[in-house]
Amino acid sequence: MADLSISLAGITSPNPFWLASAPPTNTGYQVQRAFEAGWGGAVWKTLGEPIINTSSRFAAVHFGGKRVAGFNNIELISDRPLEVNLKEIRETKKRFPKHALVASLMVEPKREKWHEIVKRVEDAGVDGLELNFGCPHGMAERGMGAASGQQPDLVEKQTMWAKEAASTPVIVKLTPNITDITVTARHAVMGGADAISLINTINSLAGVDLESWNTIPHVGGKGAHGGYCGPAVKPIALNMVAECARDPKVGVPISGIGGISSWQDAVEFMLMGAAGVQVCTAAMHHGFRIVEEMVDGLNRYLDRKGLASVSELIGQSVPRYSDWGNLDLNYRVVARIHQDVCINCNKCHIACEDTSHQCIDMLTGSSGRPYLHVREDDCVGCNLCSIVCPVDGAIEMVELPAAAPVLTWNERQRALAKLGTDSMETEAVEG
């Protein structure tokens, strides 16, 4: 069995699976149940001045017959008194000393406010702090959450204030509702952050009821934008984690969040630079016991790969992630249809004919049986046919031998610029 334990900026846990700061970590009862189920850590639901939450709060986007492809909520931070939360944190840490227990914090952007809450929460025995600069609704209207997280100077300043009072590691949770997340990540590091976590939820409206015309959810006929999470946001989160991981000016551990529902998702995040992961929507959908399959699946994967520790995964795919301008323009793949697997549903032909490059022909064999054939000279290797194909293995994307040396867009532009310079110099000499 591989070693699943991790250390995120000095915060250790028996495995990389933490519950994110959210409804599942609202009480000591819940967090203790989660630890009993096998979660390695938990980030306590955000603490601050208690607020009043609304009814109703949650909504979901269902797609293709599957429940909860995306999840939307308009719930805010903890609505329970701070002292009650701190009492339960003490009790939980006493019962589970080896599990990571991190407190999420959110207060007004005032130095004394950060000093006060940091000291009170650390006295309860937490292993670390997570500064919530990501909540996109409710708290943002009060100058907190994403309202702070969208201003890099405020991220830096408030991180510095928290660090002035903190004796435990400080994680800064970043909002995705921004043009370039690396900018705020850099400012968090400039403020002294020991780690960053991302992403928080995305501004969203889950839907509109076609009969009542109310938003989903609504509160007495009125709606508001909420935070979007769940499997649908995973590609966005994975990209932002990767961008921070490959930025040398960030350079701190990352806790990956966003649509993680399985051990496979966790491995992807760790390969792209996350030192550990946080889960919310999947636990709300299926319960705390999903961690058992996550732990078992991760163990089996590491054994199959011959890895002794989960930490060996961290960042392995980051060097393979670059900018479009660094991609080889001469690299080529084409689609090939395996006739023994193809069921002739024609989805690939329709997709290619209507929306791609018209390179799949419908032919008739000597036996009179119809079949589909790719004209490889016209195929651009876009992958669309293999994506829409409902049968695994029916369409394979095949790499062709290199017909020309590697040439990226950036290299091409440099070569053209040099050619232009040389041409001008020649004209000057001849003139």
Side-chain angles (χ1 to χ4, degrees):
M1 300 288 281
D3 179 9
L4 298 190
S5 65
I6 66 164
S7 175
L8 180 83
I11 304 171
T12 60
S13 66
N15 65 58
F17 301 109
W18 295 6
L19 285 175
S21 171
T25 60
N26 187 45
T27 65
Y29 169 78
Q30 290 169 282
V31 174
Q32 290 173 35
R33 278 176 54 83
F35 288 165
E36 289 170 351
W39 292 88
V43 184
W44 205 275
K45 186 171 172 64
T46 303
L47 305 175
E49 293 294 328
I51 51 80
I52 300 173
N53 273 301
T54 62
S55 174
S56 59
R57 308 175 189 180
F58 301 151
V61 175
H62 310 306
F63 185 78
K66 293 187 176 182
R67 308 289 290 182
V68 197
F71 190 82
N72 171 281
N73 87 87
I74 57 172
E75 185 167 296
L76 305 181
I77 69 173
S78 178
D79 52 12
R80 304 188 309 139
L82 181 59
E83 280 303 327
V84 173
N85 280 294
L86 296 181
K87 175 177 178 293
E88 293 176 7
I89 288 173
R90 291 188 188 94
E91 294 170 349
T92 302
K93 191 59 190 175
K94 185 176 180 180
R95 280 196 60 193
F96 296 91
K98 295 182 179 180
H99 289 67
L101 190 57
V102 175
S104 175
L105 307 178
M106 184 192 295
V107 293
E108 296 175 69
K110 296 179 180 178
R111 189 177 195 173
E112 64 274 14
K113 290 284 188 179
W114 280 109
H115 284 190
E116 178 186 358
I117 196 165
V118 164
K119 291 173 182 176
R120 291 184 68 183
V121 171
E122 285 195 333
D123 284 345
V126 295
D127 299 302
L129 308 170
E130 183 179 80
L131 313 186
N132 185 345
F133 296 143
C135 183
H137 54 275
M139 306 309 293
E141 285 87 331
R142 312 173 198 204
M144 295 177 274
S148 289
Q150 290 167 335
Q151 300 183 58
D153 59 330
L154 269 182
V155 170
E156 180 180 347
K157 188 178 296 184
Q158 292 182 90
T159 302
M160 182 178 64
W161 291 339
K163 284 289 293 181
E164 287 173 347
S167 59
T168 62
V170 171
I171 306 167
V172 173
K173 190 173 186 178
L174 303 176
T175 176
N177 300 301
I178 194 165
T179 304
D180 185 352
I181 201 165
T182 63
V183 174
T184 45
R186 291 176 184 179
H187 278 266
V189 172
M190 289 164 63
D194 300 292
I196 56 175
S197 59
L198 60 148
I199 58 172
N200 208 310
T201 53
I202 301 170
N203 274 333
S204 64
L205 172 62
V208 180
D209 187 293
L210 298 186
E211 299 305 319
S212 67
W213 298 356
N214 280 328
T215 62
I216 303 173
H218 73 91
V219 180
K222 294 287 185 181
H225 73 269
Y228 196 53
C229 52
V233 311
K234 176 190 162 189
I236 299 168
L238 196 59
N239 166 66
M240 290 188 173
V241 166
E243 290 294 339
C244 290
R246 74 186 182 109
D247 188 331
K249 293 184 179 179
V250 177
V252 295
I254 298 171
S255 182
I257 315 170
I260 298 165
S261 305
S262 65
W263 67 265
Q264 293 98 327
D265 294 333
V267 169
E268 290 184 58
F269 272 78
M270 297 189 79
L271 288 172
M272 291 312 306
V277 297
Q278 297 184 35
V279 179
C280 171
T281 305
M284 296 180 73
H285 191 183
H286 302 292
F288 289 152
R289 290 293 174 186
I290 62 167
V291 75
E292 295 174 0
E293 185 176 336
M294 290 179 169
V295 169
D296 182 63
L298 181 57
N299 259 317
R300 292 175 182 273
Y301 176 78
L302 294 174
D303 288 347
R304 178 164 63 83
K305 286 291 187 179
L307 301 177
S309 168
V310 70
S311 63
E312 295 179 53
L313 293 173
I314 300 172
Q316 291 298 319
S317 294
V318 173
R320 305 185 185 199
Y321 194 64
S322 186
D323 297 319
W324 191 94
N326 295 323
L327 304 181
D328 180 10
L329 299 175
N330 289 328
Y331 177 78
R332 189 165 176 232
V333 296
V334 295
R336 286 184 185 165
I337 300 172
H338 295 295
Q339 302 302 331
D340 57 333
V341 182
C342 176
I343 61 173
N344 284 316
C345 68
N346 295 335
K347 288 189 72 68
C348 63
H349 174 265
I350 294 168
C352 186
E353 196 72 14
D354 287 355
T355 66
S356 193
H357 288 80
Q358 301 81 49
C359 64
I360 299 180
D361 296 324
M362 301 178 67
L363 304 176
T364 302
S366 57
S367 64
R369 180 180 180 270
Y371 69 97
L372 298 164
H373 173 73
V374 178
R375 298 192 313 278
E376 294 187 4
D377 287 345
D378 296 324
C379 178
V380 300
C382 71
N383 300 336
L384 179 61
C385 58
S386 64
I387 290 170
V388 301
C389 179
V391 182
D392 290 341
I395 300 179
E396 180 183 6
M397 302 306 298
V398 180
E399 180 179 344
L400 297 182
V406 172
L407 177 67
T408 69
W409 174 261
N410 291 337
E411 290 170 340
R412 182 177 183 272
Q413 295 306 102
R414 286 193 291 268
L416 290 173
K418 185 176 185 303
L419 183 63
T421 302
D422 291 345
S423 177
M424 287 188 290
E425 290 176 350
T426 300
E427 289 177 4
V429 171
E430 292 176 348

